[in-house]
C-alpha cells in the first residue's frame, strides 16, 4: 500500500470527548464506527481510497468491534455487499469513486434501491468532479433521482460531515432507502477537528450473529411482480418519509442574513466556497456570517418542498449554486415555486456557468452578477462589482506577466515498468506501421500523452480489449467484459496486460494476483493461469524492461497467421512500490555493513549529439537536457539527473533502437568487497598513468 496509516488507525480508537484531528475522509471513517456500522467494503479510487486503506489497516480494532471489512474487486461487488441490509437490521457502508464507480455498480444499486433496506445502507462517493478530477465529468445526482436513493452533500466542515454520516444511516432506516453521500476532492482532503464519541459495537455483527434461519420475504426481491409494488413504495412511502426525516431532523440549514429580500440556495459541499467568495465581496465575515441569507442543502436529493417554499417566499430573487450539469436542483426549485405560485425569480445557470468547477473566481463573478441583477436595497452594488473585478483581475495580469507556460502533461513515474512497453510499441510500429490502440484506465493511460501519444480510445476500466490494460483493470472488469467476450466471439486482437502487481494509480492496493495481501501471503490467483484456463493459446510473458524482446514479441503477435486472442503479459513491479521496498531493504543492509549496489545511467556529454531521440522514445522525467558543455556546439545534450532509479530503460532503448552509444551504466557500490576495492585502486592507477583524471572513475 502507498503509505502506512498507523497514526490514522490510532485516531479511530478515540473515545467520547477526545478531539479527532485529520482529513475529511478519515473523519468519515471514524464516523462509521461511531454509527455502529456492521460491515464496510469498497473499491479504491481517488478521493476516497484512504477510507478503505485505513479500515484495512485497522483490522484489529474492527475485529474487536465485530465489523466485517472487504476490499472488493470492483464497485459492483461492493454495491452487492449492501444486499445484507435488505433483509437484516445491519448498518453497512461501501465506498468508491464516482461517476465511474457508480456506473459499474449501477445494476446492483437498482436492485438494492427497488426492494429498499431494513438496515441503514450508506454509499460514500468520491465525487471526482472539477479541476483535479481524473474521470468523465458527470454527476451522481442522476443515479439518486432515477433509483430513489437519497443524496447527502454535507457542508465541508468535520463536525457537519460526521453528523451527516450518522444521520444518513438514520435517514436510510427511517425511509427504507439507500443513501449516497458525495464528497468532493477538497472535502476529502481538507483537515479539521471534531469531538469524538465512543465507537459503537454494531447490534449484529460477526461477533453477535442474528438468531434464526435466513429470512425469506418475497417482497424483498427485485423481481416481478413485486417490483410494481416497490415502484409505488419508492414514490408514495419512502420519499415522503425521507422528506419528513430531513425536515424534522433539520438536516438542511438556513443561515440568516441582512439582505433578506434575496437569498442563496447552495449544495452543502459548496457552502465554504460560497462563504469565501462572499467574504471577498465583503458580504460575509471570516467566521461565515453572511449578509445574504443562505439555505444550505446538506441533502441535495430529495429536496424538501416546504423548506424551499419557506426560504423563497417574500424574496425577489434566489441564486441556486449548483455545480455541474444538468441543473437538476434549479429545475426542481422552479417547478416547486410555480406549483406554489410563488413569484421569486430563480437565478442559477446563466449568472453562473453551466459546466466546470465552481472555483472561488467563478463564484465571485457569479455572486457579483446576481447582486447586480437583484440590487438588494441598501447594498452598494457598484462597490461589489468593483471588488469582484479586482479579485479576478490579478489573475489575468499575472498570466500576462508570466507569459505562456509550456504544458506539463502527467507522465509515468521515473523508472515505471509500463513506459518500456510503449517504447517497444513505438519501435514495433516503425516496422508494422500505425496500429489502433484501445487504451485503458490506469497509469498506462499516461501513454496517451507525449512523447508516446499512443491510444486511440479509452472506454472504461478493464474495457480496452484490445490492446493494453493493467492487472488492476484485468481483475476489475477486463477478465469477463474483455477476455471472455473476445474468446467467445473468436476475436483476433492483441491484449497487453501490464502486470505490475498492484492497483498502482490509486495507491498500490493489493489485488488478486499481487505477491502479498493484507493477510500476508499471496492471494494465489495468477493472470497467466487464468487466461490459459479460459483457452488462450497464444500467450507470452515478457519482462517489461526488455524493450528489444517486447518489440519482437509485439511484431510476432501482429504478423502471426494464427487467429484468436494474443496476450502479452508485460511483467515488471510498479517502480514506486519497488523503490519503497528496496529503500527500506537497502537501509537495513547498510546498517548491517553489507554491500549495497545502486545502479545509475548517464550520458557522455562528449558523445551525445543532442538529437534527443532517446527522450522521444523514453519520456522518463529523469532523462532531460542540459546546456552543451562544448562551446562549439549549441544543441543541448541529454542528461540523466539524480532521481534516476537505474531501471535500465535508457540502456535498453539505446540498444534496441540502435541509438548513439552515449549512454553508460554506473554501479555505485557501498561497502564494496575486497576484490572491488582492489579493481578500483588498479583502475585509478592505470588511468592516472595514462594521464586521465583518476576521479573520473568510481
Ligand atoms: S505508480 Fe507504478 S505503475 Fe504507476 S506510473 Fe508510477 S511506477 Fe508506473
Ligand atoms: S535508467 Fe533511464 S529510464 Fe530508467 S530511471 Fe534512469 S533515466 Fe529513467
Amino acid at each position: 500500500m502507498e503509505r502506512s496509516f498507523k497514526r490514522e488507525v490510532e485516531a479511530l480508537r478515540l473515545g467520547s470527548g477526545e478531539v479527532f484531528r485529520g482529513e475529511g475522509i478519515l473523519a468519515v471513517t471514524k464516523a462509521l464506527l461511531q454509527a455502529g456500522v456492521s460491515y464496510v467494503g469498497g473499491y479504491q479510487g481517488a478521493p476516497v481510497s484512504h477510507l478503505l486503506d485505513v479500515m484495512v489497516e485497522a483490522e484489529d480494532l474492527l475485529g474487536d468491534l465485530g465489523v466485517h471489512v472487504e476490499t472488493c474487486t470492483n464497485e459492483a461487488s461492493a454495491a452487492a455487499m449492501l444486499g445484507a441490509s435488505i433483509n437484516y437490521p445491519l448498518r453497512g457502508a461501501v465506498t468508491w469513486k464516482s461517476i465511474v464507480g457508480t456506473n459499474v455498480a449501477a445494476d446492483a444499486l437498482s436492485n438494492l434501491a427497488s426492494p429498499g433496506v431494513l438496515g441503514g445502507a450508506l454509499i460514500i462517493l468520491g465525487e471526482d468532479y472539477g479541476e483535479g478530477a481524473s474521470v468523465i465529468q458527470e454527476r451522481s445526482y442522476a443515479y439518486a433521482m432515477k433509483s430513489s436513493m437519497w443524496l447527502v452533500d454535507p457542508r465541508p466542515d468535520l463536525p457537519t460531515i460526521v453528523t451527516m454520516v450518522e444521520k444518513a444511516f438514520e435517514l436510510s432506516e427511517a425511509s427504507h432507502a439507500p443513501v449516497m453521500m458525495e464528497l468532493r476532492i477538497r472535502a476529502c482532503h481538507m483537515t479539521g477537528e471534531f469531538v469524538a464519541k465512543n465507537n459503537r459495537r454494531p447490534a449484529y455483527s460477526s461477533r453477535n450473529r442474528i438468531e434464526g434461519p435466513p429470512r425469506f420475504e418475497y417482497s424483498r426481491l427485485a423481481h416481478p411482480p413485486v417490483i410494481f409494488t416497490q415502484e409505488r413504495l419508492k414514490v408514495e412511502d419512502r420519499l415522503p418519509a425521507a422528506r419528513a426525516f430531513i425536515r424534522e431532523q433539520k438536516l438542511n440549514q438556513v443561515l440568516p442574513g441582512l439582505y433578506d429580500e434575496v437569498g442563496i440556495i447552495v449544495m452543502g459541499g459548496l457552502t465554504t466556497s460560497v462563504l469565501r467568495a462572499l467574504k471577498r465581496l465583503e458580504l460575509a465575515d471570516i467566521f461565515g456570517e453572511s449578509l445574504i441569507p443562505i439555505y444550505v442543502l446538506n441533502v441535495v436529493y430529495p429536496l424538501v418542498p416546504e423548506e424551499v417554499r419557506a426560504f423563497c417566499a417574500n424574496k425577489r430573487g434566489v441564486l441556486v449554486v449548483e455545480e455541474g450539469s444538468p441543473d437538476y436542483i434549479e429545475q426542481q426549485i422552479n417547478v416547486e415555486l410555480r406549483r406554489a405560485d410563488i413569484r421569486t425569480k430563480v437565478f442559477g445557470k446563466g449568472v453562473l456557468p453551466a459546466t466546470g468547477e465552481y472555483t472561488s473566481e467563478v463564484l465571485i463573478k457569479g455572486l457579483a452578477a446576481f447582486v447586480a441583477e437583484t440590487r438588494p436595497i441598501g447594498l452598494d452594488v457598484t462597490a461589489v462589482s468593483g471588488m469582484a473585478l479586482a479579485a479576478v483581475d490579478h489573475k489575468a495580469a499575472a498570466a500576462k506577466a508570466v507569459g505562456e507556460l509550456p504544458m506539463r502533461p502527467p507522465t509515468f513515474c521515473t523508472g515505471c515498468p509500463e513506459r518500456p512497453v510503449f517504447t517497444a510499441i513505438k519501435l514495433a510500429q516503425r516496422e508494422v506501421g500505425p496500429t489502433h490502440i484501445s487504451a485503458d484506465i490506469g497509469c498506462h493511460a499516461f501513454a496517451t500523452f507525449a512523447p508516446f501519444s499512443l491510444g486511440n480510445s479509452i472506454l472504461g476500466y478493464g474495457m480496452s480489449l484490445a490492446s493494453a490494460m493493467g492487472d488492476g483493470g484485468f481483475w476489475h472488469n477486463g477478465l469477463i467484459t474483455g477476455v471472455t467476450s473476445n474468446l467467445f466471439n473468436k476475436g483476433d486482437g492483441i491484449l497487453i496486460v501490464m502486470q505490475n502487481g498492484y492497483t498502482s494509480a490509486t495507491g498500490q492496493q493489493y489485488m488478486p494476483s499481487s505477491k502479498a495481501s493484507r493477510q500476508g501471503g499471496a492471494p494465489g490467483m495468477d493472470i497467466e493461469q487464468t487466461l490459459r484456463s479460459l483457452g488462450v493459446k497464444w500467450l507470452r510473458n515478457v519482462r517489461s524492461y526488455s524493450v528489444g524482446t517486447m518489440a519482437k514479441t509485439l511484431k510476432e503477435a501482429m504478423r502471426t497467421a494464427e487467429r484468436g486472442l494474443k496476450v502479452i503479459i508485460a511483467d515488471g513491479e510498479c517502480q514506486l512500490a519497488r523503490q519503497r521496498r528496496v529503500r527500506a531493504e537497502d537501509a537495513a543492509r547498510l546498517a548491517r555493513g553489507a554491500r549495497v549496489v545502486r545502479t545509475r545511467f548517464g550520458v557522455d556529454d562528449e558523445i551525445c549529439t543532442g538529437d534527443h531521440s532517446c527522450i522521444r522514445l523514453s519520456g522518463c522525467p529523469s532523462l532531460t537536457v542540459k546546456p552543451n558543455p562544448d562551446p562549439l556546439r549549441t544543441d543541448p545534450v541529454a542528461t540523466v539527473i539524480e532521481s534516476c532509479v537505474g531501471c535500465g530503460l535508457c540502456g535498453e532503448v539505446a540498444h534496441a533502437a540502435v541509438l548513439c552509444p552515449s549512454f553508460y551504466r554506473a554501479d555505485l557500490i557501498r561497502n564494496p568487497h575486497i576484490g572491488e576495492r582492489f579493481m578500483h585502486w588498479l583502475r585509478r592507477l592505470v588511468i592516472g598513468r595514462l594521464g586521465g583524471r583518476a576521479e573520473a572513475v568510481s
Side-chain angles (χ1 to χ4, degrees):
M1 221 181 286
E2 191 180 41
R3 54 180 262 210
S4 160
F5 291 99
K6 283 207 171 62
R7 206 163 51 89
E8 287 78 3
V9 170
E10 279 314 302
L12 295 186
R13 297 180 196 277
L14 293 177
S16 179
E18 293 183 282
V19 177
F20 176 104
R21 292 190 179 85
E23 283 182 80
I25 191 63
L26 299 170
V28 172
T29 315
K30 170 69 175 148
L32 293 176
L33 300 183
Q34 292 182 177
V37 71
S38 293
Y39 63 94
V40 180
Y43 190 78
Q44 56 271 4
V48 289
S49 289
H50 290 179
L51 191 157
L52 210 57
D53 291 342
V54 172
M55 284 292 191
V56 165
E57 276 202 32
E59 231 169 351
D60 287 355
L61 168 66
L62 301 190
D64 185 45
L65 290 169
V67 179
H68 174 76
V69 181
E70 263 185 44
T71 47
C72 305
T73 46
N74 62 23
E75 296 84 355
S77 76
M81 279 181 79
L82 292 174
S85 297
I86 293 177
N87 289 297
Y88 305 101
L90 300 170
R91 287 188 170 184
V94 294
T95 186
W96 57 70
K97 173 206 213 54
S98 204
I99 191 72
V100 286
T102 314
N103 290 341
V104 175
D107 194 18
L109 289 178
S110 292
N111 282 279
L112 173 78
S114 193
V117 293
L118 204 58
L122 178 59
I123 303 142
I124 315 281
L125 301 176
E127 191 77 350
D128 198 11
Y129 185 88
E131 291 178 355
S134 61
V135 297
I136 310 107
Q137 299 293 274
E138 290 181 1
R139 301 178 60 188
S140 305
Y141 204 98
Y143 282 96
M145 293 178 87
K146 83 166 181 60
S147 295
S148 292
M149 298 181 287
W150 319 138
L151 183 60
V152 173
D153 184 1
R155 185 178 169 173
D157 64 68
L158 262 50
T160 307
I161 289 176
V162 168
T163 305
M164 289 308 293
V165 169
E166 293 174 22
K167 290 293 170 194
F169 280 119
E170 291 175 28
L171 171 62
S172 175
E173 284 155 3
S175 58
H176 300 297
V179 174
M180 306 196 290
M181 174 181 281
E182 61 179 354
L183 293 169
R184 293 171 184 75
I185 300 170
R186 284 187 209 151
C188 287
H189 299 310
M190 59 173 270
T191 52
E193 59 181 46
F194 69 94
V195 179
K197 293 184 197 162
N198 289 333
N199 294 331
R200 237 172 79 191
R201 216 171 270 284
Y204 298 103
S205 68
S206 52
R207 297 173 73 92
N208 180 28
R209 292 171 191 273
I210 297 171
E211 300 279 327
R215 291 182 188 170
F216 174 78
E217 230 180 285
Y218 185 73
S219 63
R220 294 198 162 274
L221 294 164
H223 200 247
V226 283
I227 45 170
F228 307 113
T229 312
Q230 288 165 1
E231 183 196 16
R232 188 183 51 73
L233 285 174
K234 280 192 206 173
V235 178
E236 292 179 8
D237 286 13
R238 296 180 205 159
L239 182 62
R243 284 178 166 152
F245 184 89
I246 296 163
R247 209 174 49 238
E248 283 154 19
Q249 297 286 321
K250 298 191 174 24
L251 300 190
N252 297 324
Q253 299 163 289
V254 174
L255 313 178
L258 181 70
Y259 301 114
D260 65 358
E261 57 183 315
V262 293
I264 298 169
I265 301 177
V266 60
M267 299 174 83
L270 297 176
T271 311
T272 317
S273 310
V274 166
L275 286 170
R276 174 68 187 146
L278 287 171
K279 160 79 180 64
R280 303 275 304 274
L281 300 174
E282 296 186 5
L283 290 170
D285 66 16
I286 53 166
F287 303 106
E289 293 290 329
S290 170
L291 292 176
I292 298 179
I294 302 178
Y295 176 37
V296 178
L297 294 172
N298 287 314
V299 185
V300 285
Y301 188 78
L303 299 184
V304 181
E306 297 87 334
E307 288 186 357
V308 172
R309 290 198 296 264
F311 183 76
C312 295
N314 307 321
K315 294 198 189 317
R316 283 194 291 113
V318 291
L319 173 67
V320 180
V321 182
E322 179 184 13
E323 198 174 49
S325 193
D327 51 353
Y328 298 114
I329 299 176
E330 191 180 329
Q331 288 183 35
Q332 290 174 73
I333 290 171
N334 265 310
V335 168
E336 199 47 56
L337 296 184
R338 297 298 79 82
R339 275 182 187 151
D341 203 17
I342 294 172
R343 302 198 176 256
T344 308
K345 186 159 183 203
V346 178
F347 297 82
K349 305 295 179 195
V351 292
L352 285 162
T355 59
E357 184 174 347
Y358 283 1
T359 58
S360 198
E361 194 179 322
V362 168
L363 287 169
I364 286 171
K365 284 191 206 161
L367 287 164
F370 171 62
V371 294
E373 290 271 354
T374 49
R375 301 193 160 266
I377 295 163
L379 178 63
D380 185 346
V381 174
T382 315
V384 171
S385 300
M387 282 184 269
L389 265 181
V392 297
D393 253 17
H394 74 282
K395 204 168 170 185
K400 202 170 158 204
V402 173
E404 201 159 318
L405 293 171
M407 294 271 284
R408 278 190 59 205
T411 186
F412 301 97
C413 301
T414 284
C416 173
E418 299 181 357
R419 175 181 288 110
V421 179
F422 294 99
T423 304
I425 294 176
K426 275 190 110 171
L427 290 176
Q429 285 192 343
R430 282 181 180 178
E431 284 186 38
V432 296
T435 40
H436 179 98
I437 295 179
S438 313
D440 209 291
I441 305 290
C443 298
H444 36 85
F446 293 143
T448 54
F449 297 113
F452 301 112
S453 304
L454 292 173
N456 303 71
S457 58
I458 294 186
L459 234 2
Y461 195 26
M463 309 281 198
S464 70
L465 233 186
S467 131
M469 66 172 72
D471 39 10
F474 177 84
W475 294 113
H476 176 271
N477 218 332
L479 178 60
I480 299 298
T481 315
V483 176
T484 315
S485 174
N486 189 289
L487 291 169
F488 182 54
N489 290 291
K490 308 222 177 300
D492 190 32
I494 301 169
L495 168 68
I496 303 173
V497 184
M498 304 285 189
Q499 184 167 265
N500 69 18
Y502 312 83
T503 49
S504 298
T506 54
Q508 281 113 37
Q509 287 84 5
Y510 297 126
M511 45 146 185
S513 51
S514 292
K515 297 274 184 293
S517 68
R518 63 189 172 104
Q519 290 85 9
M525 280 168 263
D526 182 84
I527 293 177
E528 184 171 340
Q529 276 176 17
T530 306
L531 289 168
R532 289 208 187 278
S533 73
L534 287 175
V536 174
K537 304 253 174 345
W538 198 106
L539 195 150
R540 307 281 186 274
N541 199 323
V542 183
R543 183 178 164 269
S544 62
Y545 292 107
S546 306
V547 176
T549 314
M550 183 62 78
K552 199 167 142 247
T553 313
L554 279 163
K555 284 184 271 180
E556 188 194 335
M558 288 175 197
R559 287 171 171 160
T560 178
E562 196 176 322
R563 288 195 57 81
L565 181 64
K566 286 156 275 283
V567 181
I568 302 172
I569 298 177
D571 191 25
E573 184 182 4
C574 164
Q575 191 66 233
L576 207 59
R578 185 179 172 274
Q579 286 301 313
R580 284 199 180 95
R581 183 170 55 72
V582 168
R583 249 200 310 271
E585 286 167 9
D586 283 354
R589 289 174 66 80
L590 282 176
R592 291 198 309 271
R595 179 176 177 273
V596 171
V597 184
R598 215 174 130 208
T599 300
R600 290 289 177 273
F601 281 77
V603 177
D604 190 329
D605 297 343
E606 291 181 12
I607 303 175
C608 174
T609 59
D611 75 330
H612 309 141
S613 43
C614 54
I615 293 176
R616 285 192 291 277
L617 280 169
S618 161
C620 175
S622 301
L623 179 61
T624 179
V625 289
K626 69 172 185 185
N628 201 320
D630 183 344
L632 299 177
R633 294 194 298 159
T634 49
D635 282 341
V637 289
T639 186
V640 174
I641 57 175
E642 179 53 20
S643 52
C644 165
V645 295
C647 73
L649 175 60
C650 284
E652 287 279 344
V653 172
H655 182 69
V658 203
L659 291 178
C660 66
S662 26
F663 283 92
Y664 63 81
R665 170 186 159 151
D667 286 339
L668 310 176
I669 306 173
R670 316 269 295 269
N671 300 326
H673 53 61
I674 190 145
E676 287 166 335
R677 281 176 201 278
F678 172 74
M679 286 304 293
H680 180 59
W681 173 82
L682 191 63
R683 284 189 188 119
R684 284 167 66 100
L685 183 76
V686 173
I687 292 172
R689 290 273 161 86
L690 292 173
R693 287 175 293 117
E695 295 76 17
V697 182
S698 58

